């Protein structure tokens, strides 16, 4: 796993992710800033007569559930542990630029989606096959997605949850794992509609709670915040004498943990985006 990871998360991929974010951000004239208000308006606009697909807000909530949580908590700790405090700055940079990539991915997912039994399916495997006319690459992506989302990602999340409960309350990790598995089973067996209905309630509450707790932590440690920011900025660009030697590691860990937490360019976000029923792909 370590060997494969070293090839996947090599310097070329880090450069590619940053370059793609820059390309789509400049190409859309920074749509993530220009159309922020429009994004908020469209997010809460609903079609009462809608019978196919899911709403924009439900798609947003489902995507949000994958972006807020283990990737932002365990991922940040790992990034700091391996790349120093400057890795956080690079997580911010890839999050901002990645918004351009995420916009492009979601729009493509809408353009090339298919309707199936009253619901929509789409994502990178669809637009690679239909847009690039490259079926073999679409198949590879589909297989990788099944392996990643079906087998590799769930253990990371369940391990984070069970370890946290075990450390905080002394509950055996096995019991937490069984409970989480039962909860997930009740949700996903109901299909995309049930997943969307649960996500639109749970994900916003989770995100708001996450932000409030973060603010509380910052307030409780207010005296340490200026020094922390100084360390982050100086080590992010190699200005910190103690951490200047690990600048490459700082950028690499910031970018890869940034992608893990915001999913920009990862390819899983567009699968959810394709499920939304909207009058125009950009919406």
């Amino acid at each position: 796993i370590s060997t494969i990871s070293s090839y996947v998360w090599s310097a070329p991929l880090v450069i590619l992710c940053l370059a793609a974010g820059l390309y789509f951000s400049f190409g859309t004239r920074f749509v993530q800033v220009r159309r922020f208000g429009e994004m908020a308006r469209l997010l809460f606009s609903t079609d009462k007569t809608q019978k196919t697909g899911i709403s924009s807000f439900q798609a947003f909530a489902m995507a949000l559930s994958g972006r807020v949580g283990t990737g932002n908590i365990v991922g940040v700790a790992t990034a700091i542990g391996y790349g120093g405090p400057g890795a956080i700055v690079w997580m911010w940079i890839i999050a901002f630029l990645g918004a351009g990539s995420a916009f492009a991915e979601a729009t493509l997912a809408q353009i090339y989606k298919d309707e199936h039994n009253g619901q929509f399916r789409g994502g990178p495997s669809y637009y690679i096959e239909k847009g690039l006319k490259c079926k073999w690459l679409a198949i590879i992506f589909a297989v990788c997605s099944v392996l990643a989302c079906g087998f590799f990602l769930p253990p990371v999340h369940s391990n984070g949850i069970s370890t946290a409960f075990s450390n905080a309350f002394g509950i055996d990790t096995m019991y937490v794992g069984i409970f989480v598995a039962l909860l997930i089973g009740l949700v996903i067996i109901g299909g995309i509609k049930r997943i969307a209905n649960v996500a639109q309630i749970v994900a916003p509450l989770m995100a708001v709670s996450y932000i409030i707790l973060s603010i509380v932590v910052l307030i409780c440690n207010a005296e340490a915040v200026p020094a922390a920011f100084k360390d982050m900025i100086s080590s992010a660009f190699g200005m910190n004498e103690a951490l200047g030697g690990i600048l490459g590691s700082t950028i690499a860990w910031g970018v890869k943990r940034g992608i893990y937490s915001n999913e920009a360019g990862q390819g899983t976000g567009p699968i959810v985006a394709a499920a939304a029923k909207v009058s125009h792909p950009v919406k």
Side-chain angles (χ1 to χ4, degrees), residues 128-150:
I128 289 170
E129 180 182 357
K130 296 180 180 181
L132 293 178
K133 310 293 183 189
C134 193
K135 191 171 183 177
W136 65 269
L137 186 58
I139 291 169
I140 289 174
F141 183 89
V143 171
C144 288
S145 295
V146 170
L147 290 173
C149 299

Side-chain angles (χ1 to χ4, degrees), residues 102-198:
F103 171 78
E105 287 180 300
T107 305
L108 284 168
Q110 279 288 323
I111 292 170
Y112 294 103
K113 68 186 179 186
D114 278 344
E115 188 175 344
H116 181 81
N117 294 334
Q119 303 300 328
F120 296 111
R121 293 181 179 179
S125 53
Y126 283 72
Y127 57 73
I128 289 170
E129 180 182 357
K130 296 180 180 181
L132 293 178
K133 310 293 183 189
C134 193
K135 191 171 183 177
W136 65 269
L137 186 58
I139 291 169
I140 289 174
F141 183 89
V143 171
C144 288
S145 295
V146 170
L147 290 173
C149 299
F151 298 97
F152 298 145
L153 284 175
V156 175
H157 290 270
S158 57
N159 180 65
I161 295 166
S162 59
T163 304
F165 269 91
S166 176
N167 290 338
F169 306 110
I171 304 171
D172 193 293
T173 52
M174 183 180 72
Y175 298 124
V176 178
I178 292 169
F179 179 69
V180 170
L182 288 171
L183 277 180
I184 292 170
L186 287 171
V187 174
I188 63 173
I189 289 169
I192 189 74
K193 283 279 188 185
R194 188 183 292 175
I195 295 171
N197 287 332
V198 172

Side-chain angles (χ1 to χ4, degrees), residues 27-225:
T28 59
R29 289 182 292 130
F30 289 90
V31 67
Q32 61 266 51
V33 178
R34 277 193 311 116
R35 298 295 186 189
F36 193 86
E38 178 73 354
M39 177 196 72
R41 187 186 69 79
L42 290 169
L43 190 61
F44 297 104
S45 61
T46 55
D47 181 1
K48 303 278 186 189
T49 62
Q50 179 178 316
K51 292 194 173 142
T52 56
I54 59 177
S55 70
S56 292
F57 183 75
Q58 287 176 322
F60 171 73
M62 287 173 65
L64 192 68
S65 64
R67 290 174 166 93
V68 179
T70 307
N72 293 87
I73 300 169
V74 180
V76 171
T78 309
I80 295 171
Y82 286 97
I88 301 300
V89 175
W90 286 100
M91 285 185 78
W92 291 343
I93 293 169
I94 197 66
F96 178 73
L97 295 177
S101 303
F103 171 78
E105 287 180 300
T107 305
L108 284 168
Q110 279 288 323
I111 292 170
Y112 294 103
K113 68 186 179 186
D114 278 344
E115 188 175 344
H116 181 81
N117 294 334
Q119 303 300 328
F120 296 111
R121 293 181 179 179
S125 53
Y126 283 72
Y127 57 73
I128 289 170
E129 180 182 357
K130 296 180 180 181
L132 293 178
K133 310 293 183 189
C134 193
K135 191 171 183 177
W136 65 269
L137 186 58
I139 291 169
I140 289 174
F141 183 89
V143 171
C144 288
S145 295
V146 170
L147 290 173
C149 299
F151 298 97
F152 298 145
L153 284 175
V156 175
H157 290 270
S158 57
N159 180 65
I161 295 166
S162 59
T163 304
F165 269 91
S166 176
N167 290 338
F169 306 110
I171 304 171
D172 193 293
T173 52
M174 183 180 72
Y175 298 124
V176 178
I178 292 169
F179 179 69
V180 170
L182 288 171
L183 277 180
I184 292 170
L186 287 171
V187 174
I188 63 173
I189 289 169
I192 189 74
K193 283 279 188 185
R194 188 183 292 175
I195 295 171
N197 287 332
V198 172
Q200 72 177 347
I201 297 169
V202 175
L205 286 173
M206 179 175 67
V208 170
S209 302
Y210 181 78
I211 291 167
I212 291 170
L213 283 169
S214 299
I215 292 169
V216 169
V217 170
L218 287 171
I219 291 170
C220 291
N221 297 276
E223 72 286 347
V225 171

